[in-house]
Amino acid sequence: MIALKDIDQLGPDEAAQELARLAKEIAKHDRHYYKKDAPKISDAAYDELRRRNNAIEARFPDLVRSDSPTKRVGTRPSEGFGKIAHTVPMLSLDNVFSDDELREFTKRVRRFLRWPESEPLAFTAEPKIDGLSCGIRYERGKLVQAATRGDGQTGEDVTQNVRTICDVPKILAGDGWPEVLEVRGEIYIPTTEFAAMNAAQEAAGKPVYANPRNAAAGSLRQLDPAISAKRPLRFFAYAWGEVSAPFAPTQFEAVRKFGKWGFSINDHMRLCHSADEMIAVYMLIERERAALGYDIDGVVYKVDRLDLQTRLGFVSRSPRWAMAHKFPPEQASTILEKIDIQVGRTGALTPVAKLKPVTVGGVVVSNASLHNADEVKRLDVRVGDQVLIQRAGDVIPQVVKVLNPDRTRRAAPFAFPTHCPCPLSTPAVRELDEKTGEAGVITRCSGEFACPFQRVRRLEHFVSRQAFDIEGLGKKQIAAFFEAGEITEPADIFTLKDRDDGLKLEAREGWGELSASNLFAAIEERRHISLERLLIALGIRHVGQTTARLLSTSYISWQNFHGTMLAAKDRTSEHFIQLTALDGIGDVMAEAIVNYFAEPHNEGLVERLLAQITVQDAIPPKQDSPVAGKTVVFTGKLVEMSRDEAKAGAAALGAKVAGSVSAKTDILVAGPGAGSKLKKATDLGIKTMTEEEWLALIKA
Ligand code: IVH
C-alpha cells in the first residue's frame, strides 16, 4: 500500500490531485457495490477512503469537485441512512455580531410582546456548541429514534449510532417525563478526545480531521454503529421538538429537567434579566472559551418563559425568541494574487480576490469576496498587496484591509471592467438603485438572455438545492451540457433522456451506465414539482424561499398564479393591487414578479418548461381556523398586543395579512384612531371588527 501524505501537509495542488484520485476510486467501489453487488474492499477500507476525501474537502473547501463523492447520488452513505421527517421542524438561529445588535434583539422582543422596559423579562444565556444538532425521540421513557437536522424538515436516521453515545440515556431516569418527548441538542467531540483521535489516526497513517465538528459529523455518519461507538461523541441537551404534554414553565427549568432525566446539560447556562447581564455572560463565556474542553462559536440567548416563546413564534426559519451572539471572526494575513470577475445569475459582476492559500480557523482559504466596485475602491486593494482576511462560520471569507498600503512600487489601482468577461463582451453598466433612484453599487452585464455566463448561472440556480434539487446535475455537469449546446434552458433538462440515443451519455468521459441512469432517474423524480420550488427555480429577482412560499400558499395553483401575474401587467388592476397588498411583498418585488412574466423571452421559456413538468398545488395553511384563507388588514392602535404579534398570529392561523384595504379584503381589524383604511373598508362594505372581537374570533 502506498503511504498517504498527512492531510495537513498537503499543498493545494496535491490536495486537488488527491481529491480527483479519491473521486475516481470511490466511484469505482460504488459501482462494484451496487451493480455487481460484490464489493472489492471492506467497509472499513471504503469508509477510510471517504473519510480522507471528506477531511481534505473540509480543509480545502474551494477544491470540492462537482463530482465529489459527498455530492453524488447512489453512493453508500446517502443510501445507507433512512430518512426521518421531523414532526416539528428543526430550525436554525438568527445571529447577532455586536452588543448593539443584541440590545436591538431584546428591544424587538419587548416591542413584539408589548413588554415595558420597566417590567423584568428573563433570558437564558448559554454556550453555542459547535457540533451537529440532533433530535432524539423517547416514547414512554425509551429511546426509539434519533435524527440529524438535515434540511430542517427531513433528517437522517442515526438511531443506532446515537445509541452508542455515552451521555444519551437509552431509558430516561427519574419521572415526570411526557409520554412522547423529543429531546434536541448538539452532538460534539471534546477537544482533548479530538486531539487524541487525530493523533491515533496519524500514527496509523490515516487521515486527520480538520476540526472537532467535522470529526463529530464524520463519526456520526458511519454506517457501521460499531465504528461510531469507538468515537468520543458526546451530547448536550438544550431544546426539544414534539412533546405530548408540557413539562416545564420555563426554558431554564425544562433544561434542568433534562439533567434529572439523565442527559448532560451545559453548566454554563445562566439566567439574565437585562441586556447588560446578557453581555456580561457573553464576555464571561468568551473568556472561558479556551478552557471549556469543547468548541463553541458564540452564546445563545432564549426568552425564558415558554408561554412567551409561544407568543413570539417563528419567522421564516428561526424563532423570534432566540438569538445566537457569535464570537468575532477568525483572521489571517496573506497575499492578493489576482482579482477575478465573476458573473452572477442576474448579470452582477462580482470581484473576487484570489489569494495565496492560507489557513483561517482550520480551513484553507484561497478566495474572498470583494463584493463590488465601491468595495474594491474603498479597500484600495491591489495585486501583490498583503491583506487581512477573515471568515466566520460558513460565510464567504472577506478582505478586511490592506496591511502594507505604503510600500513603494505598488501595482496600479484595480480597473473595474467596463465590459462583461463573457465571450460576447457586452457593456457592463452601473445600475440605478431601484429604491433610491441613485447610482447603486452593482455593475451589471447588459447582455441579459444573450450573455452565456448569466444563462449558465440561471441553469445552476434552477437545479440547486432549494429549487429543483436534481442530484447528479451540479455546476460542472451544467457547464458541460451548456457548452455542448445540450442544455441551454430549463426545459432541455427534461428532454435530455429522449435525446440520449444521440447523446450517448453513459459512454462519455466522467459518465458511466450507473451515473447516467441515476441522473435520468433524478430528473424524472422532479417532473412533479411544488409551486414553491418552481417559483424559486425561475430566478425572479428578489424572490427567494420566503417569498416563493408566500406566493405559493397565497395563489395555491400554478394556473392561478400565472394567470394572475399576466393580468397584473395592468398596474391599476385588482390583480396587481392584491399582489402588493400581500404582507411581505413590496412594490419593488411586485414589479419584478410582474415584469418577469411580461418579458416575452421568459414567457417562452416558462411555456416550454411547463410542457415538461407537473406543478403540484400548494397546501393552504391551516384550513381549520376560522380565519384561514381570509385576507386581514390591521389598522389603528391595538391594545392587547403589538401590530407585529397580531400579524404573526393571523398568519400562523392561515390568514393572509395585507397592508392595505382592497375589494379582496375580508376583515379589517380597526383599533382606536383608525382613519382612511376604516373609511375605505366601510365604503367597500368590508367586515370590520374591533381587536376584542378579533381575539374572540380566533380563540373560538
Ligand atoms: S437552540 C429553534 N441552543 O446552533 C432553534 N442551538 O446556528 C433551537 N446550537 O441549529 C436551537 N448550541 O445546532 C440552541 N445552546 C444551543 C446551541 C444551539 C449550538 C446550534 C444548533 C442550531 C444552530 C443554529
Side-chain angles (χ1 to χ4, degrees), residues 600-634:
H601 180 95
N602 289 336
E603 257 313 283
L605 181 143
V606 164
E607 197 176 303
R608 289 187 291 279
L609 173 63
L610 264 291
Q612 296 295 331
I613 61 172
T614 314
V615 187
Q616 294 147 350
D617 286 358
I619 301 162
K622 285 228 182 99
Q623 281 303 348
D624 52 355
S625 96
V627 295
K630 297 258 192 317
T631 301
V632 184
V633 176
F634 292 93

Side-chain angles (χ1 to χ4, degrees), residues 42 59 102 124 188 199 305 332 349 487 500 537:
S42 69
R59 203 166 134 67
L102 159 69
T124 57
Y188 68 99
R305 270 176 50 178
L349 266 46
I487 296 181
D500 192 46

Side-chain angles (χ1 to χ4, degrees), residues 364-645:
V364 179
V365 169
S366 45
N367 292 319
S369 176
L370 287 165
H371 304 291
N372 52 53
D374 284 359
E375 181 69 358
V376 179
K377 211 170 187 177
R378 186 184 71 80
L379 292 165
D380 188 24
V381 273
R382 309 187 193 180
V383 171
D385 285 353
Q386 188 176 12
V387 288
L388 182 69
I389 61 159
Q390 67 178 28
R391 80 171 257 283
D394 295 332
V395 226
I396 303 167
Q398 295 184 320
V399 175
V400 183
K401 62 173 179 181
V402 176
L403 292 168
N404 55 353
D406 298 325
R407 70 189 198 285
T408 47
R409 304 181 38 167
R410 238 181 132 197
F414 178 68
F416 204 87
T418 51
H419 289 76
C420 179
C422 78
L424 299 181
S425 192
T426 30
V429 284
R430 184 88 181 238
E431 70 176 19
L432 295 182
D433 185 294
E434 289 169 56
K435 284 187 190 131
T436 60
E438 286 165 22
V441 289
I442 301 172
T443 309
R444 222 178 276 281
C445 157
S446 55
E448 293 239 7
F449 307 105
C451 169
F453 283 17
Q454 287 187 53
R455 295 182 69 166
V456 171
R457 292 287 108 75
R458 287 195 187 127
L459 286 165
E460 285 170 358
H461 172 77
F462 186 87
V463 296
S464 66
R465 190 165 166 176
Q466 290 192 338
F468 270 68
D469 191 21
I470 299 178
E471 284 196 78
L473 197 53
K475 286 187 183 175
K476 190 178 155 200
Q477 291 81 1
I478 285 288
F481 282 125
F482 185 82
E483 183 102 329
E486 289 157 3
I487 296 181
T488 60
E489 64 168 52
D492 295 342
I493 296 170
F494 295 94
T495 58
L496 199 61
K497 186 160 189 283
D498 290 345
R499 291 180 281 135
D500 192 46
D501 273 356
L503 301 177
K504 298 268 179 290
L505 193 55
E506 68 169 70
R508 289 194 198 175
E509 167 95 41
W511 291 95
E513 197 186 314
L514 179 71
S515 54
S517 72
N518 275 347
L519 175 66
F520 294 139
I523 293 173
E524 250 355 88
E525 216 176 285
R526 290 301 189 199
R527 243 183 237 280
H528 292 264
I529 197 83
S530 68
L531 179 55
E532 177 181 322
R533 279 183 182 273
L534 172 64
L535 294 180
I536 296 171
L538 292 180
I540 305 167
R541 287 278 266 292
H542 311 295
V543 178
Q545 192 175 34
T546 309
T547 311
R549 183 165 299 169
L550 173 68
L551 291 171
S552 76
T553 51
S554 302
Y555 291 93
I556 307 294
S557 74
W558 163 257
Q559 281 72 14
N560 182 31
F561 170 77
H562 186 227
T564 312
M565 292 312 120
L566 293 180
K569 256 190 267 184
D570 172 3
R571 303 296 199 259
T572 59
S573 69
E574 195 48 48
H575 306 288
F576 187 75
I577 294 166
Q578 182 63 24
L579 175 66
T580 50
L582 288 180
D583 196 37
I585 307 273
D587 288 347
V588 172
M589 218 184 251
E591 286 289 334
I593 300 166
V594 174
N595 284 342
Y596 180 92
F597 293 100
E599 157 66 49
H601 180 95
N602 289 336
E603 257 313 283
L605 181 143
V606 164
E607 197 176 303
R608 289 187 291 279
L609 173 63
L610 264 291
Q612 296 295 331
I613 61 172
T614 314
V615 187
Q616 294 147 350
D617 286 358
I619 301 162
K622 285 228 182 99
Q623 281 303 348
D624 52 355
S625 96
V627 295
K630 297 258 192 317
T631 301
V632 184
V633 176
F634 292 93
T635 189
K637 209 171 144 47
L638 300 178
V639 180
E640 291 296 321
M641 52 192 166
S642 66
R643 180 72 65 88
D644 281 346
E645 184 173 4

Side-chain angles (χ1 to χ4, degrees), residues 91-93 126-129 133 149 186 238 300 302 319 321:
L91 302 159
S92 79
L93 294 169
E126 65 197 285
K128 182 170 187 303
I129 319 294
S133 45
R149 191 173 100 128
E186 205 81 354
Y238 56 61
V300 182
K302 299 170 190 168
W321 44 264

Side-chain angles (χ1 to χ4, degrees), residues 654-674:
K656 289 178 218 162
V657 183
S660 57
V661 173
S662 76
K664 288 262 170 80
T665 309
D666 294 300
I667 301 170
L668 178 80
V669 181

Side-chain angles (χ1 to χ4, degrees), residues 123-288:
F123 288 85
T124 57
E126 65 197 285
K128 182 170 187 303
I129 319 294
D130 198 5
L132 327 85
S133 45
C134 183
I136 312 176
R137 187 181 172 93
Y138 291 82
E139 286 175 8
R140 297 205 181 84
K142 270 199 197 140
L143 190 164
V144 293
Q145 196 176 63
T148 61
R149 191 173 100 128
D151 64 2
Q153 306 290 334
T154 312
E156 280 181 325
D157 182 347
V158 286
T159 314
Q160 296 315 325
N161 293 354
V162 167
R163 279 180 174 284
T164 69
I165 301 177
C166 61
D167 45 11
V168 171
K170 267 48 87 193
I171 294 183
L172 296 180
D175 50 28
W177 23 263
E179 270 211 358
V180 174
L181 169 68
E182 186 201 337
V183 174
R184 290 181 177 175
E186 205 81 354
I187 293 182
Y188 68 99
I189 289 184
T191 24
T192 325
E193 277 84 344
F194 169 70
M197 179 177 153
N198 260 358
Q201 291 279 108
E202 219 169 336
K206 291 183 181 166
V208 292
Y209 287 107
N211 53 48
R213 180 153 74 107
N214 287 343
S219 304
L220 183 67
R221 298 187 83 260
Q222 292 291 330
L223 273 182
D224 179 358
I227 302 180
S228 256
K230 289 195 198 122
R231 300 296 176 81
L233 293 169
R234 300 278 188 283
F235 179 76
F236 273 132
Y238 56 61
W240 54 96
E242 185 181 345
V243 285
S244 53
F247 59 94
T250 62
Q251 179 75 33
F252 203 81
E253 284 184 45
V255 174
R256 284 255 290 263
K257 287 215 165 143
F258 289 160
K260 291 206 176 104
W261 296 337
F263 292 95
S264 290
I265 55 172
N266 195 288
D267 55 8
H268 294 270
M269 182 165 78
R270 296 278 175 276
L271 256 190
C272 303
H273 300 90
S274 67
D276 285 340
E277 278 184 36
M278 291 155 88
I279 292 165
V281 174
Y282 172 87
M283 293 198 313
L284 188 72
I285 293 179
E286 193 179 27
R287 267 204 304 278
E288 291 175 343

